[in-house]
Amino acid sequence: MLEFPVIQGQGFRNVVEDGRVTGFSFRLRNPNYRGGPGSMLDGVEVVVDGERIPDHVPLWTLQGRTFTLDELRASTDVRWQLDEPATITVPKPGGLSTGVHHIEVTIFLRRSYIPPLIARTRFRAEAQRVIVPPAPEGGIKYGVSTYSYTGDVNTSMTLEDVFAEIADLGATGIEILGEGNIANYPSPDPAWVDAWHGLVQKYGLTPTNFGSWVDTTRYNGRDLTAEEGAEQLQLDLRLAKELGFTSVRPKFGVISWDLDPHPIWQETVERSLDLAAELDVVICPEIHTPTPIKHPVTQGYVEFIEKSGTEHFKLLIDTGIFNTEVIVDTSEEVDGDGEEIPPHLRPLAVPMSDFVEVLPYTHFIQAKFVEIDDDLHDLHVPWAQIIPTLLDNGWSGYLSSEYEGRREPGRGRDQVRRQHALIRSLVQGS
Amino acid sequence: MLEFPVIQGQGFRNVVEDGRVTGFSFRLRNPNYRGGPGSMLDGVEVVVDGERIPDHVPLWTLQGRTFTLDELRASTDVRWQLDEPATITVPKPGGLSTGVHHIEVTIFLRRSYIPPLIARTRFRAEAQRVIVPPAPEGGIKYGVSTYSYTGDVNTSMTLEDVFAEIADLGATGIEILGEGNIANYPSPDPAWVDAWHGLVQKYGLTPTNFGSWVDTTRYNGRDLTAEEGAEQLQLDLRLAKELGFTSVRPKFGVISWDLDPHPIWQETVERSLDLAAELDVVICPEIHTPTPIKHPVTQGYVEFIEKSGTEHFKLLIDTGIFNTEVIVDTSEEVDGDGEEIPPHLRPLAVPMSDFVEVLPYTHFIQAKFVEIDDDLHDLHVPWAQIIPTLLDNGWSGYLSSEYEGRREPGRGRDQVRRQHALIRSLVQGS
């Protein structure tokens, strides 16, 4: 599917020719209600951050071919279809800076059925769009969780659209939620599994982490047994392996305000460790606010790793634990009296020294965030501390974007791009 | 794809059992970010037009099976997936009246990983949704043009979603725009054509009218010749026939403020009439505001029909010509000084007597409209005059919805439902 705004977020980038940045390009959805001949296109005026580029300057790429406006006017065999975006290329030596830009366009179309004097009609659109620099090579790997696109998936994004979006922003890893993204979970059709592998191949992405739930209160009136917990976890380990994932995050039920996991967690894991080793899939409990690193729950996991000596049980760190500011807007309405801030929205501000201590036990990092503003400032997460910490300690695993802000259509897509622009800038600037 | 709002527009209807209306039902998109076991659903409170239905009362239909809340809590083998809506059925003898209703829901889900005391979490949603009565039998046929969903198609609706939407609201005819809806127009892949016929079969819809354009200013510096015009029209006649359509509306370029069609129109049609007869597809020029019925253009078409004696050239009436009020909001930004109302937005208020005169020459009616309010009042089109006129004169052709109001996502879907509710009420009340 295309994005609803005429100016698409996907495809906005600087153009590199012979190693030099010569301009920028972006995609437009046809704003008309019909497709039509390229010869009836009559230019596009672009205003980027207040700088006006006249309507005859941008190049048009349609159906795989690139045209000047004069070439387009003279064309007889190219069309702008409704289901194919046009790519607009604007010459601008040096291109645009990393980050958020304001783009306005006026698209001119000639329409025969409008009186000749006004038949050159215009469609206007504007948007804020993000230049994401290429991923710096080596070190940190860049991924995205489908969780970031909750609400958009199944309503304006197919699974293929998710792959295309992640690949377009230059990330290489895709994280999924088993019970969210697998059609007919827990028994996907073999054709679905084939299609999954086809997408992995087509978009060159690496399956990273697979979200799993051990719902200890699944049944009414009694808790899940460790045997049932292990059955669930093992089902997900096998599904994850089948789809090429290398870790599974089981989210265990909790039994206290402190988020102590249900006591079956340990037996559930113990019963599943042999299978995890056999499949070479790492089981990763998630360290998530309001549970910090210096806390019996996290320490219990670390102890388990040390005692068992396993390579297939490691931590998953959710960067929400580093927040330094209270979260006001989030993805879900929060019940309460409105006076007290719920624990998971308060800043836990886990210090970097604690992070460094557990990094050797950490397999995966979910780059949780809620809002990044137009100046690439994250309102809550101190990336300027986290990124140097990761670099200094040689982290070579994934940072997997997990957008958890408001769920207006398309907002997650835009915010994930901001996050990658921010994080990659910090890596490049180090 | 599902609709973005949790309360879907599609599927809202009264429930009939043994000939009696026993309640109403609607569909919910799973508001959570993961699918999950049915046993963790904990009820849905519904408030319809202020009337509260407690959370244990509604029935849930998931994966084709219907459950009471107690049955759902005890279930072990049913899930609410993210890509499958739940159908909620609310008992209410007599059901809901035709028209717009305000629905609020609070969906309760138990989540194991939230502290036990607050683990019963709630998701709230509200929406205005439309009860469309079944189409009255005989007489007027009810259709929808894909034009109504411009902007939604390719961004949140696939072609199949369009078929599903039209079938769900009880219409039987689908009208398309050739250069809008046919992938790779003018040369659709044979697989696309097969898929089209598969959709026609699956949803039981009848292809009605095929929108075509004769772009007389297609080439820069010269007008289209009648030969080229005929080539375009014949291409569309053949495509229309291949897809099962029974009429083609060629939109000719114009040469004046009065919308006089380009003079090639007549030769273009004459050159194509034999083919139209051979294919049994009717060529329908569109009578569209600001051109009324008592106007040389319309009268020229009628004269042509009478002189040629053809059965394959007839009028298409766009109901915008009957408007009694100025249009303020429309689908496209209108250029101008903001002082003078553009001609096509002024009310032409063509009298019913003129309409009756040309009905024998009319093949198809596009039920153009811009806005219908919460009381099913059309702000511009006098349906209370049009519908009795059609009934009194035995019209048995299509009324094909053509929504042309603002293009916020999903608005066309909602407005088309309002229009069908309004028109069918008038037919039933006559």
Side-chain angles (χ1 to χ4, degrees):
Chain A
M1 311 296 278
L2 299 174
E3 296 162 65
F4 183 83
V6 167
I7 302 172
Q8 306 282 288
Q10 204 175 98
F12 182 39
R13 57 170 54 89
N14 282 320
V15 175
V16 180
E17 288 173 306
D18 301 328
R20 281 172 43 247
V21 176
T22 57
F24 63 92
S25 68
F26 57 94
R27 296 182 195 150
L28 293 177
R29 178 169 71 80
N30 192 326
N32 200 2
Y33 60 86
R34 61 168 281 212
S39 57
M40 299 187 78
L41 296 177
D42 218 21
V44 57
E45 180 180 283
V46 178
V47 181
V48 60
D49 304 325
E51 182 188 349
R52 184 179 153 277
I53 294 99
D55 59 18
H56 61 277
V57 173
L59 301 176
W60 292 74
T61 303
L62 292 168
Q63 304 184 305
R65 295 156 60 197
T66 298
F67 301 84
T68 64
L69 179 57
D70 282 345
E71 288 166 349
L72 204 54
R73 282 175 174 154
S75 69
T76 57
D77 59 351
V78 68
R79 298 177 51 77
W80 191 5
Q81 310 281 34
L82 289 195
D83 58 355
E84 293 177 14
T87 297
I88 303 300
T89 301
V90 179
K92 183 177 169 67
L96 297 173
S97 59
T98 290
V100 181
H101 295 273
H102 186 258
I103 309 176
E104 296 166 64
V105 296
T106 307
I107 302 161
F108 296 94
L109 303 181
R110 291 183 301 107
R111 294 196 274 185
S112 303
Y113 57 86
I114 291 183
L117 284 172
I118 55 167
R120 186 182 192 240
T121 54
R122 55 185 97 190
F123 291 84
R124 291 194 185 86
E126 61 181 307
Q128 306 243 87
R129 293 293 178 237
V130 187
I131 291 283
V132 184
E137 308 236 332
I140 294 170
K141 297 189 187 81
Y142 300 87
V144 180
S145 169
T146 55
Y147 178 81
S148 299
Y149 308 126
T150 295
D152 290 334
V153 177
N154 299 318
T155 64
S156 61
M157 294 179 96
T158 62
L159 186 60
E160 174 153 10
D161 293 330
V162 171
F163 271 84
E165 177 73 11
I166 295 174
D168 181 76
L169 65 88
T172 58
I174 180 169
E175 177 181 5
I176 70 164
L177 311 177
E179 302 195 35
N181 305 115
I182 298 177
N184 204 36
Y185 176 95
S187 310
D189 197 86
W192 189 92
V193 175
D194 287 349
W196 168 268
H197 288 295
L199 293 174
V200 165
Q201 196 73 23
K202 177 172 176 184
Y203 292 96
L205 298 185
T206 301
T208 58
N209 182 61
F210 178 112
S212 157
W213 287 265
V214 179
D215 291 317
T216 46
T217 60
R218 172 171 182 168
Y219 299 115
N220 282 269
R222 70 170 181 87
D223 287 5
L224 213 64
T225 64
E227 197 177 348
E228 290 167 330
E231 199 183 325
Q232 175 67 52
L233 179 52
Q234 292 174 24
L235 181 161
D236 283 332
L237 285 167
R238 290 199 173 88
L239 258 179
K241 179 69 178 181
E242 188 179 0
L243 301 178
F245 288 87
T246 46
S247 67
V248 163
R249 185 251 21 216
K251 202 163 182 86
F252 294 104
V254 302
I255 55 164
S256 70
W257 285 103
D258 254 17
L259 304 194
D260 289 298
H262 191 286
I264 68 162
W265 83 261
Q266 188 159 335
E267 192 182 335
T268 295
V269 171
E270 282 166 351
R271 282 171 172 261
S272 306
L273 270 182
D274 284 352
L275 180 66
E278 182 193 322
L279 301 174
D280 198 14
V281 173
V282 183
I283 300 169
C284 298
E286 183 172 344
I287 309 307
H288 188 288
T289 181
T291 306
I293 287 171
K294 290 276 162 67
H295 183 280
V297 169
T298 311
Q299 298 305 319
Y301 292 145
V302 170
E303 223 166 86
F304 181 90
I305 297 169
E306 288 188 329
K307 273 198 186 150
S308 67
T310 179
E311 285 293 311
H312 292 94
F313 183 79
K314 288 192 166 181
L315 304 182
L316 183 158
I317 304 286
D318 177 297
T319 55
I321 63 170
F322 304 118
N323 284 3
T324 56
E325 303 290 335
V326 170
I327 295 171
V328 178
D329 266 350
T330 183
S331 60
E332 285 183 22
E333 185 184 351
V334 176
D335 279 338
D337 56 12
E339 303 238 334
E340 208 190 343
I341 299 157
H344 70 287
L345 302 182
R346 292 180 214 157
L348 208 54
V350 165
M352 290 300 118
S353 51
D354 291 2
F355 190 23
V356 170
E357 274 183 33
V358 296
L359 263 180
Y361 304 102
T362 301
H363 176 75
F364 197 75
I365 299 173
Q366 283 178 340
K368 163 74 57 64
F369 74 114
V370 166
E371 186 162 356
I372 293 173
D373 72 13
D374 294 352
D375 300 319
L376 294 191
H377 170 69
D378 189 309
L379 272 50
H380 314 93
V381 192
W383 295 109
Q385 292 177 45
I386 295 171
I387 297 302
T389 302
L390 290 174
L391 294 174
D392 291 350
N393 289 275
W395 175 257
S396 61
Y398 273 97
L399 267 186
S400 184
S401 297
E402 214 189 32
Y403 170 70
E404 193 169 76
R406 299 196 315 270
R407 295 291 180 199
E408 292 106 74
R411 193 168 197 267
R413 302 174 75 156
D414 180 61
Q415 285 282 325
V416 166
R417 287 175 182 266
R418 292 175 184 221
Q419 191 195 40
H420 280 254
L422 166 56
I423 291 176
R424 294 179 197 177
S425 297
L426 287 168
V427 171
Q428 279 164 335
S430 299
Chain B
M1 311 295 278
L2 298 174
E3 297 163 63
F4 183 82
V6 166
I7 301 171
Q8 307 282 289
Q10 207 175 96
F12 183 39
R13 57 170 54 87
N14 283 320
V15 174
V16 180
E17 288 173 305
D18 301 328
R20 282 171 44 245
V21 176
T22 56
F24 63 92
S25 67
F26 56 94
R27 296 181 194 151
L28 293 177
R29 177 169 73 78
N30 192 328
N32 200 2
Y33 60 86
R34 60 169 282 212
S39 57
M40 299 186 77
L41 297 175
D42 217 22
V44 57
E45 180 181 283
V46 178
V47 181
V48 59
D49 304 325
E51 182 189 348
R52 183 178 154 276
I53 295 97
D55 59 19
H56 62 276
V57 173
L59 301 177
W60 292 73
T61 303
L62 291 167
Q63 303 182 305
R65 294 155 61 196
T66 299
F67 300 85
T68 63
L69 180 56
D70 282 343
E71 288 165 349
L72 204 53
R73 283 177 174 153
S75 69
T76 57
D77 58 352
V78 68
R79 298 178 49 78
W80 191 4
Q81 311 282 33
L82 290 194
D83 58 355
E84 293 176 14
T87 298
I88 303 300
T89 301
V90 178
K92 183 177 167 69
L96 296 172
S97 59
T98 290
V100 181
H101 295 273
H102 186 258
I103 308 176
E104 297 165 65
V105 296
T106 307
I107 302 161
F108 296 94
L109 303 180
R110 290 183 302 111
R111 294 197 274 186
S112 303
Y113 57 85
I114 291 183
L117 284 171
I118 55 167
R120 186 182 192 238
T121 55
R122 54 186 98 192
F123 292 85
R124 292 194 184 84
E126 61 181 308
Q128 307 242 89
R129 293 294 177 236
V130 187
I131 290 284
V132 184
E137 308 237 331
I140 295 170
K141 296 187 187 82
Y142 300 87
V144 180
S145 169
T146 55
Y147 177 82
S148 298
Y149 308 126
T150 295
D152 290 333
V153 177
N154 298 316
T155 64
S156 61
M157 292 178 97
T158 62
L159 186 60
E160 174 152 10
D161 293 330
V162 170
F163 271 84
E165 177 74 10
I166 296 173
D168 181 76
L169 65 88
T172 57
I174 180 168
E175 178 181 5
I176 70 163
L177 312 177
E179 302 196 35
N181 306 115
I182 297 177
N184 203 36
Y185 176 94
S187 311
D189 196 86
W192 188 91
V193 175
D194 286 348
W196 168 268
H197 288 295
L199 292 174
V200 165
Q201 195 73 23
K202 178 173 175 183
Y203 291 97
L205 298 185
T206 301
T208 58
N209 182 63
F210 179 112
S212 157
W213 287 266
V214 179
D215 292 317
T216 47
T217 61
R218 172 172 181 165
Y219 298 115
N220 282 270
R222 69 170 183 85
D223 287 4
L224 213 65
T225 64
E227 199 177 348
E228 289 168 331
E231 199 182 322
Q232 174 67 51
L233 180 51
Q234 289 173 26
L235 180 161
D236 283 332
L237 285 167
R238 289 197 174 90
L239 258 179
K241 180 68 179 181
E242 188 180 359
L243 301 178
F245 288 88
T246 47
S247 67
V248 163
R249 185 252 22 217
K251 200 161 182 86
F252 294 104
V254 303
I255 55 164
S256 71
W257 285 104
D258 255 15
L259 305 194
D260 288 299
H262 191 286
I264 67 164
W265 83 262
Q266 189 159 336
E267 192 182 334
T268 295
V269 170
E270 282 166 351
R271 282 171 175 260
S272 307
L273 270 182
D274 284 352
L275 180 66
E278 183 193 322
L279 302 173
D280 198 15
V281 173
V282 183
I283 300 169
C284 298
E286 182 172 346
I287 308 310
H288 189 287
T289 180
T291 308
I293 286 170
K294 289 276 162 69
H295 182 280
V297 170
T298 311
Q299 298 304 318
Y301 293 145
V302 169
E303 225 165 83
F304 181 90
I305 296 168
E306 287 188 330
K307 273 198 184 150
S308 65
T310 179
E311 285 292 310
H312 292 95
F313 183 80
K314 288 193 167 180
L315 303 182
L316 182 158
I317 303 287
D318 177 297
T319 53
I321 64 172
F322 304 117
N323 283 3
T324 56
E325 303 291 336
V326 170
I327 294 172
V328 178
D329 267 348
T330 181
S331 59
E332 286 183 22
E333 187 182 352
V334 176
D335 280 339
D337 57 12
E339 302 238 337
E340 207 190 343
I341 298 158
H344 71 287
L345 302 183
R346 290 179 217 158
L348 207 56
V350 165
M352 290 300 117
S353 51
D354 291 2
F355 190 23
V356 170
E357 275 182 32
V358 295
L359 263 181
Y361 304 102
T362 301
H363 176 74
F364 196 76
I365 299 173
Q366 283 177 340
K368 163 74 58 63
F369 74 114
V370 167
E371 186 163 356
I372 294 173
D373 72 13
D374 294 351
D375 299 320
L376 294 192
H377 170 69
D378 189 309
L379 271 50
H380 314 93
V381 192
W383 295 109
Q385 293 175 45
I386 295 170
I387 296 302
T389 302
L390 290 173
L391 293 174
D392 290 350
N393 290 274
W395 175 257
S396 61
Y398 273 96
L399 268 185
S400 184
S401 297
E402 216 189 31
Y403 170 70
E404 193 169 76
R406 299 197 316 272
R407 294 294 180 197
E408 291 107 74
R411 194 169 197 267
R413 302 174 75 157
D414 179 62
Q415 285 282 324
V416 166
R417 286 175 184 264
R418 291 175 185 221
Q419 190 194 40
H420 280 254
L422 165 56
I423 290 176
R424 294 179 197 176
S425 297
L426 287 167
V427 171
Q428 280 165 334
S430 301

